[in-house]
Amino acid sequence: MSSFEFPGEYYEIIRRSFRDLAAETDFLASYVPDGGRVLDLGCGTGTTLRELGARGFSCVGVDQSARFIDYARRAGGEGVAYVHERAERFTSEEGFHLVYSLFMTLNQLPRTELRQVLRKTAEQLLPGGHVVLEFGHLLNFVESYQQHTVAHHRGDGVLITRLARQSVNPHAATWRNEETLLVRDADGQVSLYDNFFDQAVLTGPEVRELLADAGLAVTAEYGGFRKEPAPGHGRGPLVIVASRAGEGSA
Ligand SMILES: C[S@@+](CC[C@H](N)C(=O)[O-])C[C@H]1O[C@@H](n2cnc3c(N)ncnc32)[C@H](O)[C@@H]1O
């Protein structure tokens, strides 16, 4: 479950605090042939897709947030189409050279349906295609657990204060993040938004098993989009690259 129903321009500001857009775009682009087709599962406000579209790829983004998809459509982007849909319901007649999911979105897909989503992803790959999944693994959650956090994000004359509360449901192995966004706009107006999301606490072995079950073979693992070594333990995301089993590595 997640909401992400707040104005996309504020998400874009928050995102900049966490992400290296140039690195993730270069990384993803290296897995797509010229003019190739790309699918982003949980594309948010379309930030990365717009960059990929500008490089001549044909892009599709799927997200469950109506407000983020509305923002993404208004922001446009060469060769980018957006679908307001949950990833687990999305189907396409056309295949893709690259299917990716960034910024722990994989952890937000319903655990019960993750297996199906990855199987469908494998079916949507064109010959020689790749999957790039960035997910938060077990220790990432354990090490960064704090019951309450306050963070400030600034950009475009806007100040966003994010007051977040985290809780763990050990029976479901999920982590809930509930947050209030206090936004002061460039003209001094203040507004409040609530946001929440649940994340499945995934482990590396669990994700590798799900990929194998979907007929996908892991070809590389990194700790980030600058090809940092995969974290043996501790903080940091895990970026997994996979292709259809039997097709070999990139
Ligand atoms: C942390 S944001 C990341 C957005 C984007 N991947 C990025 O890198 O900026 C998580 C996104 O996942 C979307 N999301 C969560 N569950 C989803 C689902 N089941 N299907 C599609 N989108 C989902 C949310 O709406 C939100 O936009």
Side-chain angles (χ1 to χ4, degrees):
M1 291 276 289
S2 65
S3 63
F4 288 99
E5 294 293 353
F6 59 92
E9 50 269 42
Y10 301 147
Y11 174 76
E12 290 274 318
I13 293 168
I14 295 170
R15 190 184 196 280
R16 277 180 231 148
S17 310
F18 294 101
R19 307 296 301 178
D20 183 342
L21 182 58
E24 64 195 21
T25 307
D26 287 345
F27 184 96
L28 294 170
S30 73
Y31 289 101
V32 196
D34 287 350
R37 288 179 49 77
V38 174
L39 171 65
D40 183 335
L41 294 175
C43 64
T45 48
T47 328
T48 318
L49 277 181
R50 281 192 292 284
E51 298 293 317
L52 291 169
R55 296 189 187 199
F57 303 124
S58 177
C59 304
V60 178
V62 181
D63 201 281
Q64 59 90 46
S65 162
R67 292 191 82 164
F68 281 12
I69 288 293
D70 179 56
Y71 174 91
R73 286 184 178 140
R74 281 186 286 112
E78 197 72 16
V80 189
Y82 296 102
V83 181
H84 176 220
E85 184 58 282
R86 298 189 62 82
E88 56 274 24
R89 293 210 196 115
F90 173 76
T91 50
S92 166
E93 293 298 305
E94 295 177 277
F96 298 93
H97 296 98
L98 171 68
V99 180
Y100 70 85
S101 187
L102 299 185
F103 204 179
M104 321 309 173
T105 300
L106 189 73
N107 298 73
Q108 290 183 33
L109 301 188
R111 188 184 222 115
T112 46
E113 299 188 34
L114 200 45
R115 193 173 292 278
Q116 283 310 117
V117 172
L118 292 177
R119 283 183 186 164
K120 201 162 55 177
T121 295
E123 286 164 15
Q124 286 172 330
L125 278 190
L126 291 168
H130 293 89
V131 178
V132 173
L133 303 172
E134 179 194 23
F135 73 99
H137 58 95
L138 176 68
L139 280 170
N140 187 238
F141 289 95
V142 173
E143 287 220 340
S144 62
Y145 179 75
Q146 288 181 63
Q147 209 168 2
H148 299 280
T149 55
V150 179
H152 301 291
H153 306 270
R154 291 184 181 79
D156 309 332
V158 178
L159 170 65
I160 302 170
T161 300
R162 209 161 44 84
L163 306 155
R165 302 163 295 283
Q166 280 141 29
S167 54
V168 175
N169 179 344
H171 300 295
T174 54
W175 161 298
R176 170 159 287 211
N177 188 86
E178 292 171 289
E179 56 192 18
T180 301
L181 309 180
L182 179 67
V183 180
R184 198 192 66 206
D185 266 321
D187 63 4
Q189 291 243 33
V190 173
S191 48
L192 276 177
Y193 302 91
D194 286 325
N195 184 41
F196 78 92
F197 51 92
D198 289 318
Q199 291 176 292
V201 178
L202 298 171
T203 65
E206 186 179 1
V207 173
R208 290 184 204 103
E209 187 278 319
L210 288 169
L211 287 169
D213 174 74
L216 293 163
V218 175
T219 55
E221 291 192 6
Y222 301 104
F225 290 102
R226 293 195 181 275
K227 298 195 173 175
E228 297 90 337
H233 56 78
R235 278 165 199 260
L238 191 56
V239 177
I240 291 192
V241 185
S243 56
R244 266 215 290 254
E247 285 191 347
S249 59

